[in-house]
Amino acid sequence: MLLESYKIASHNDSLLKGHENKLAFTRSEIAGTEEIIQKLVDFQIAIPSWALGTGGTRFGRFAGGGEPRSLEEKIEDVGLLHALNKASGAISLHIPWDIPTDPKAIRTLAAQHGLKFDAVNSNTFQDQADQEYTYKFGSLQNVNKAIRKQAIDHNIEVIKHGIELGSDSLTVWLSDGSCFPGQLNFRKAYQNTLESLQEIYAALPDDWKIFVEYKAFEPNFYSMTVGDWGQSLSYARKLGDKAYTLVDLGHHLPNANIEQIVSLLLMEEKLGGFHFNDSKYGDDDLTAGSVKPYQLFLIFNELVEGMDARGMNHAKDLGWMIDASHNVKDPLEDLLQSVEAIMIAYAQALSVDRKALEDAQENNDVVRAQEILQNAFRTDVRAIVAEARLRAGAALNPVALYRELKVRENLIAERGLKTVSTGL
């Protein structure tokens, strides 16, 4: 479904006066708004191809209709999101769910929607119908060398697909681990995984990166072979300069200080990127900022400080992507909400008075430091985020316009009520 620019313009005209009033007030509250707005315009968050359909749990899935039935339709849906917010200018594919049959045509279609291809993702956590060996007891860690080779070959195939599409990074997430004590030799599992990753690393083009994702638990509940940021960092250091740690906000044990993890990984020059979501109990994959918005702000506070300390480009030097699942929401509405929450947290972090915060820290003024951060968090920056969208040619209120245009109803009419997207 294409979104004509005149519909966005008409929507914006109806909201413009109120927006300008809010923006004028926000400018009086926050210094340097022009610089913040430009950084927001430049900032893009990749949309994963697997998040465009209704998600679910082990207990059920309630499809909402109109889900994309092909890679082409997934690109069209991300293109629609990008037209609405101009902040979703990339799509991340999961292989083998999204293997392009005609890479040139797929790249052309993506370009027509203003999209590029973000990191490509391998899948050795599920068995595919045509594969020879099972991953029931692990993939890159497996005691069976033939199974490890199968998983290695798959990752190398994913790299080749990524090259065809113009991607420049590979994300590896492993479900490898153990469910019971004694099931696994931890040291041998680490060594097998490292050797497997080294073969994959050797297949990377010179200008590519590999992101090693970690997760504290699930589907294995006694041990995970890449279970935390320290294990991921250990692999990344041993692999080389093109290897980095990827942080998924839901992949930690409860109460983990993710903002400190982010700061230290940046300091070590081994933070590769993010999978954004939110959680209450574990890897809930909820809408970003829906449960812990202050934590999301604190993470961005460390990101802005750390990237600026290293002279990094906020928009280009790290990988930014959403990784969420939607069982009770329209997935497209949910993704619009996640992007909005991320942009708000980023804008809040950009508004922090860095000099005042550093002074408070150097003088052990705990109260002042807290006040500086909480004042930035409690200041409403939504008008600044909306202004960035307006200048980029997007909608002032993407969710409202999405509903006004009855996008989901139109998608159901076009694709049917019983469609189920692949990759979930």
Side-chain angles (χ1 to χ4, degrees), residues 302-372:
E302 295 301 332
L303 283 168
V304 169
E305 193 277 335
M307 288 190 292
D308 286 349
R310 288 181 49 198
M312 296 173 66
N313 184 307
H314 293 191
K316 298 179 180 180
D317 289 347
L318 293 179
W320 312 102
M321 197 189 85
I322 292 170
D323 183 7
S325 181
H326 328 279
N327 200 26
V328 297
K329 286 183 179 179
D330 178 327
L332 297 182
E333 289 186 341
D334 189 282
L335 288 164
L336 288 171
Q337 289 182 312
S338 281
V339 172
E340 175 80 354
I342 293 166
M343 299 298 272
I344 287 172
Y346 179 42
Q348 289 168 330
L350 290 170
S351 74
V352 171
D353 187 336
R354 295 285 153 197
K355 188 176 183 303
L357 181 60
E358 182 179 356
D359 182 70
Q361 292 167 340
E362 291 297 321
N363 288 283
N364 294 315
D365 191 340
V366 182
V367 171
R368 179 63 179 148
Q370 177 182 327
E371 288 294 303
I372 291 167

Side-chain angles (χ1 to χ4, degrees), residues 49-155:
S49 60
W50 61 91
L52 297 164
T54 309
T57 69
R58 295 191 304 276
F59 302 101
R61 177 180 176 187
F62 304 96
E67 296 185 12
R69 300 161 295 183
S70 64
L71 176 54
E72 289 80 2
E73 289 184 350
K74 291 179 180 181
I75 291 171
E76 290 169 3
D77 282 5
V78 178
L80 175 63
L81 293 174
H82 189 48
L84 286 165
N85 63 23
K86 290 300 181 186
S88 305
I91 181 170
S92 182
L93 301 189
H94 220 313
I95 309 296
W97 294 327
D98 299 309
I99 296 177
T101 55
D102 186 344
K104 184 177 179 180
I106 288 297
R107 288 186 72 168
T108 299
L109 177 63
Q112 289 171 350
H113 288 277
L115 306 177
K116 68 173 187 176
F117 288 92
D118 199 69
V120 283
N121 303 261
S122 59
N123 179 348
T124 60
F125 53 85
Q126 291 179 332
D127 287 348
Q128 306 301 320
D130 59 346
Q131 75 181 53
E132 184 175 0
Y133 302 108
T134 181
Y135 295 131
K136 181 176 181 178
F137 296 107
S139 58
L140 299 184
Q141 76 168 26
N142 205 290
V143 295
N144 186 325
K145 187 174 182 179
I147 295 177
R148 297 200 300 273
K149 184 178 186 306
Q150 176 181 272
I152 293 165
D153 290 345
H154 166 69
N155 276 274

Side-chain angles (χ1 to χ4, degrees), residues 159 168-172 197-212 232 235-246 269-273:
I159 293 171
D168 61 6
S169 52
L170 167 71
T171 298
V172 177
L197 286 171
Q198 286 171 332
E199 289 194 45
I200 297 166
Y201 185 89
L204 290 173
D206 291 340
D207 59 345
W208 269 52
K209 298 176 182 178
I210 182 172
F211 301 140
V212 182
S232 172
Y235 286 116
R237 280 178 168 163
K238 285 180 168 63
L239 288 173
D241 293 340
K242 294 184 288 186
Y244 298 85
T245 292
L246 185 137
E269 300 185 11
K270 280 298 184 181
L271 179 63

Side-chain angles (χ1 to χ4, degrees), residues 135-193:
Y135 295 131
K136 181 176 181 178
F137 296 107
S139 58
L140 299 184
Q141 76 168 26
N142 205 290
V143 295
N144 186 325
K145 187 174 182 179
I147 295 177
R148 297 200 300 273
K149 184 178 186 306
Q150 176 181 272
I152 293 165
D153 290 345
H154 166 69
N155 276 274
I156 293 174
E157 176 194 356
V158 173
I159 293 171
K160 292 177 180 177
H161 287 305
I163 292 170
E164 292 178 327
L165 295 171
S167 177
D168 61 6
S169 52
L170 167 71
T171 298
V172 177
W173 175 73
L174 302 174
S175 65
D176 293 14
S178 62
C179 283
F180 298 98
Q183 175 185 335
L184 192 68
N185 182 301
F186 297 142
R187 177 177 51 81
K188 290 181 179 178
Y190 180 96
Q191 291 171 335
N192 285 342
T193 302

